[in-house]
Amino acid sequence: MEKIRNYINGELVEPISKAYIDNVDPSRGKVYSLIPDSDERDVELAVAAAKAAFKEWSNTPKEKRARILQRISFLIEENLDKLALIESVDNGKPLHLAKTVDIPRAAANFNFYATGILHYSAHAHSMEDTAINYTLRQPVGVAGCISPWNLPLYLFTWKIAPALASGCTVVAKPSEVTPMTAYLLSEICITAGLPKGVLNIVHGLGPKVGNAIVSSKDVPLISFTGGTKTGAHIASVAAPMFKKLSLELGGKNPNIIFADCDYEKMLSTTMHSSFSNQGQICLCGSRIFVERSIYEKFKTDFVERAKKLTVGPPTNADTKVGAVVSKSHMEKILSYVELAQQEGGKVLCGGKRKIVEGEFKDGFYIEPTIIEGLAYDCRTNQEEIFGPVVTIMPFDKEEEVLMMANSTMYGLASTVWTQDITKATRVANEIHAGIVWINCWLLRDLRTPFGGVKSSGVGREGGFEAFDFFTEPKNVCIKIK
Ligand code: NDP
């Protein structure tokens, strides 16, 4: 069975403990590779390598750094089919999704930040004839990057690429649930000629490896994407050490559908925003508010389409909904369906594990699930489920739907459907969220800042904000008179 290795100081190495954890293919429910069960000792080696490489990497001309990062981008593109297949086995997501979204976006992340850094500039301020102030932006040092399992390579590279482009060196940990594409990325980095120690990838468990990265006195910056509870723990460790911190956390995103929307476009996009990647995208809409006059029609059409979605093995061409990422996650999702029923909800479709025939019979499949009849403030409508489960609720007035939409502790993303641009803009202004999509979903220019408000996170990644995060401003004042 294949053993994944850590990538430390330019080499692929075994964990010091020589211990491994099972890596399960969620579409079959079977172990298919082994992940290093690394600990603080491996993290210490990785941090030492990153620290040693920092001086040279941060002083490498931007053009040279950009060329190496672009080479990584090309190699990801060249290996698209292989990476997509591995990501879909590791994660359970439909292969076509990995091919068209996850892997191309990972390549785009490297290309975007490689070229972006060439155009990133700092400010100068003149105090008339007294002095000139200029701001130097210097890379912070060793960046700790920790990412989740839902969009494995996409989110991993979303952190690593701007960190490396900015001149930081990196110690990174992918989710232990989906480590395989990060492992292939380490091979790609070696082929691309990334100098040793510039990027180090340590595999293993969050409480061991993740915690060791966050606690290291030699890692002054943490970029984390994951659950809100983990984020709170990380903040409690990092804050007393005054680390720079970016936290991209959970969501419970509202879709607000007005009766005057383009109905067909809304319906097909809502299918995607509800069930893409088995609902395991932090930006999926999970609470759907529909204006009462079209509620019954929407309910009938939405349920009918959801029932037609093919749930099955990720590699089947007609699969629209693959496996959820793990057995424990499947059990968590199903426990929320049970809770919803206890809270008075009616399951309109799905709600159960689906058993797929043959070699996939032990895989973790859940039918797309739509629930109605719940109060906006019950637990099902307040807590993140992170699976193919959505609730639908009617509304009468704009103020009422805004109150319900804004009632959770989260504030990551939202979607508004209406042809009335004035109303759309007004509602967008009032929604507590880092992103509002009007008549679309998941469209994003990489130059825009990305992140949530309230318990969905602090800090912004994306765009040139990412360079601001991975660098420290130093103001230099020159007296000229
Ligand atoms: P977790 O918070 O469980 O894990 C995220 C990462 O943190 C993993 O690599 C995990 O390792 C690691 N980790 C766990 N415990 C610690 C610790 N004590 N110290 C340091 N690192 C630790 O999240 P999930 O992987 O379950 O991902 C799903 C969550 O991510 C959802 O809540 C989702 O909304 C959120 N998310 C947010 C996004 C955003 O942009 N706002 C985007 C995508 C997802 P291990 O896997 O080994 O436990």
Side-chain angles (χ1 to χ4, degrees):
M1 193 169 294
E2 180 159 17
K3 275 185 179 170
I4 290 175
R5 283 172 288 165
N6 289 330
Y7 173 46
I8 298 178
N9 206 23
E11 286 179 16
L12 299 173
V13 293
E14 281 204 277
I16 291 174
S17 66
K18 304 269 191 278
Y20 287 84
I21 316 163
D22 290 343
N23 187 21
V24 176
D25 164 358
S27 72
R28 293 178 173 81
K30 300 247 178 320
V31 176
Y32 85 104
S33 67
L34 296 170
I35 313 157
D37 185 6
S38 313
D39 57 35
E40 326 59 68
R41 295 170 295 170
D42 304 284
V43 172
E44 258 171 47
L45 286 180
V47 171
K51 216 175 147 185
F54 177 70
K55 190 164 181 210
E56 194 169 335
W57 182 247
S58 57
N59 283 303
T60 299
K62 285 179 189 172
E63 289 75 10
K64 186 162 176 206
R65 290 205 300 259
R67 268 203 304 280
I68 297 174
L69 298 183
Q70 278 185 303
R71 224 176 283 146
I72 296 174
S73 171
F74 291 141
L75 286 168
I76 293 175
E77 272 173 0
E78 250 179 53
N79 288 282
L80 188 142
D81 288 343
K82 183 176 169 193
L83 282 161
L85 183 62
I86 279 167
E87 175 137 320
S88 105
V89 172
D90 226 17
N91 177 273
K93 69 178 60 200
L95 178 59
H96 71 87
L97 192 69
K99 253 187 191 173
T100 55
V101 178
D102 292 64
I103 306 305
R105 175 56 193 278
N109 286 342
F110 272 105
N111 192 44
F112 176 81
Y113 284 111
T115 51
I117 196 65
L118 302 176
H119 307 279
Y120 179 58
S121 57
H123 294 109
H125 304 274
S126 129
M127 296 168 72
E128 288 77 45
D129 58 353
T130 315
I132 296 170
N133 297 249
Y134 66 89
T135 307
L136 263 183
R137 296 228 58 126
Q138 296 173 311
V140 174
V142 178
C145 299
I146 302 175
S147 61
W149 48 257
N150 62 327
L151 304 164
L153 194 62
Y154 171 149
L155 290 174
F156 197 56
T157 54
W158 179 237
K159 302 178 173 309
I160 291 169
L164 297 178
S166 302
C168 289
T169 53
V170 172
V171 176
K173 188 195 103 58
S175 170
E176 131 268 342
V177 184
T178 53
M180 222 15 151
T181 44
Y183 179 47
L184 291 186
L185 179 69
S186 44
E187 294 180 340
I188 283 176
C189 289
I190 294 170
T191 311
L194 189 70
K196 64 178 192 169
V198 168
L199 170 64
N200 303 273
I201 301 176
V202 187
H203 296 271
L205 298 169
K208 267 206 257 181
V209 173
N211 209 47
I213 295 172
V214 176
S215 319
S216 169
K217 65 173 179 25
D218 291 320
V219 178
L221 174 152
I222 302 293
S223 168
F224 170 81
T225 301
T228 294
K229 220 168 134 200
T230 318
H233 170 75
I234 287 175
S236 76
V237 177
M241 299 171 86
F242 306 109
K243 296 193 178 207
K244 259 188 128 174
L245 199 54
S246 160
L247 301 171
E248 299 290 351
L249 309 175
K252 188 75 180 173
N253 308 315
N255 284 14
I256 301 178
I257 300 170
F258 288 99
D260 60 357
C261 66
D262 179 331
Y263 188 81
E264 274 312 310
K265 266 194 196 145
M266 175 280 294
L267 189 60
S268 72
T269 307
T270 305
M271 296 306 298
H272 289 291
S273 67
S274 303
F275 303 119
S276 282
N277 205 36
Q278 300 69 250
Q280 304 166 133
I281 301 179
C282 53
L283 305 167
C284 276
S286 52
R287 295 176 297 145
I288 305 178
F289 299 101
V290 187
E291 196 163 3
R292 197 174 299 274
S293 59
I294 59 161
Y295 180 79
E296 287 303 322
K297 175 173 168 47
F298 172 79
K299 175 170 119 181
T300 308
D301 294 343
F302 190 44
V303 169
E304 191 187 309
R305 288 218 196 175
K307 282 183 177 165
K308 284 192 190 142
L309 289 174
T310 313
V311 182
T315 41
N316 281 10
D318 61 345
T319 290
K320 295 283 185 284
V321 178
V324 299
V325 79
S326 66
K327 186 158 186 274
S328 62
H329 193 56
M330 176 180 71
E331 285 163 357
K332 177 193 150 189
I333 296 167
L334 292 175
S335 78
Y336 269 103
V337 177
E338 222 174 287
L339 173 72
Q341 287 166 299
Q342 286 161 16
E343 290 184 316
K346 183 173 169 201
V347 176
L348 301 172
C349 63
K352 294 192 293 290
R353 178 176 186 178
K354 175 168 172 159
I355 303 295
V356 175
E357 294 306 308
E359 61 169 312
F360 298 97
K361 68 178 181 0
D362 295 323
F364 315 130
Y365 300 91
I366 297 182
E367 293 167 353
T369 303
I370 302 171
I371 302 171
E372 76 163 351
L374 287 167
Y376 75 91
D377 57 353
C378 67
R379 277 185 58 205
T380 310
N381 271 327
Q382 294 290 313
E383 297 174 15
E384 187 182 43
I385 300 173
F386 216 53
V389 177
V390 297
T391 62
I392 57 173
M393 284 164 275
F395 70 89
D396 295 298
K397 294 212 164 67
E398 202 177 299
E399 313 82 71
E400 176 200 9
V401 75
L402 277 168
M403 181 277 291
M404 295 193 287
N406 289 335
S407 68
T408 72
M409 69 174 189
Y410 297 107
L412 187 55
S414 55
T415 308
V416 180
W417 288 95
T418 172
Q419 295 288 82
D420 177 343
I421 188 65
T422 310
K423 179 162 66 183
T425 316
R426 190 170 62 231
V427 170
N429 282 354
E430 296 302 322
I431 292 181
H432 304 159
I435 308 162
V436 184
W437 277 294
I438 298 175
N439 299 330
C440 59
W441 179 68
L442 213 61
L443 255 185
R444 213 166 72 75
D445 186 317
L446 294 185
R447 288 171 295 185
T448 57
F450 177 87
V453 299
K454 303 197 284 187
S455 297
S456 289
V458 286
R460 286 290 178 274
E461 297 188 1
F464 281 13
E465 270 84 355
F467 296 138
D468 290 346
F469 177 61
F470 288 107
T471 59
E472 209 76 88
K474 180 187 284 175
N475 289 310
V476 182
C477 179
I478 313 161
K479 191 146 188 335
I480 56 173
K481 195 170 155 196

